[in-house]
Amino acid sequence: MSDNATEKTFTVALMTSGGLAPCLASSFASLCTYWLEALKTQKIGGLNVIAYKAGYKGMLLGDSLQLSMDDLEEVGCLHTMGGSPILNSRVKVG
């Protein structure tokens, strides 16, 4: 990340879509952990993590939740789960 990244607040939006796969929960946890570590090591200045519920459906309807720092600290348990903690959908656009 560039030097001025330490001054910026990053907003990261996560969603899952398509079919369920065993790795989705673990991937979600890994991404949350990556960004939280970047904040803790001051590689970024701030962090907002948004999770869209039920894939594209949630994104299109604006159905999301903002993860708190406590939420981000607790995502490690997702590595032992399958599926998606924020649900999926197969909404067709168009």
Side-chain angles (χ1 to χ4, degrees):
M1 290 185 209
S2 65
D3 290 336
N4 63 354
T6 59
E7 301 169 10
K8 294 182 181 178
T9 295
F10 282 67
T11 298
V12 178
L14 303 170
M15 64 171 263
T16 57
S17 67
L20 289 175
C23 62
L24 289 177
S26 188
S27 296
F28 184 92
S30 293
L31 286 167
C32 291
T33 301
Y34 171 85
W35 285 104
L36 182 60
E37 188 63 24
L39 180 65
K40 286 181 175 181
T41 58
Q42 300 179 340
K43 291 180 181 174
I44 60 175
L47 178 63
N48 297 311
V49 179
I50 300 167
Y52 285 100
K53 299 177 188 177
Y56 284 109
K57 180 180 177 184
M59 189 174 68
L60 292 170
L61 297 175
D63 189 9
S64 65
L65 56 98
Q66 175 118 14
L67 298 173
S68 69
M69 289 300 134
D70 288 340
D71 293 333
L72 295 173
E73 293 281 357
E74 299 296 322
V75 296
C77 65
L78 296 176
H79 288 295
T80 61
M81 303 173 107
S84 172
I86 54 175
L87 307 174
N88 278 9
S89 74
R90 291 186 177 193
V91 171
K92 294 189 181 199
V93 180

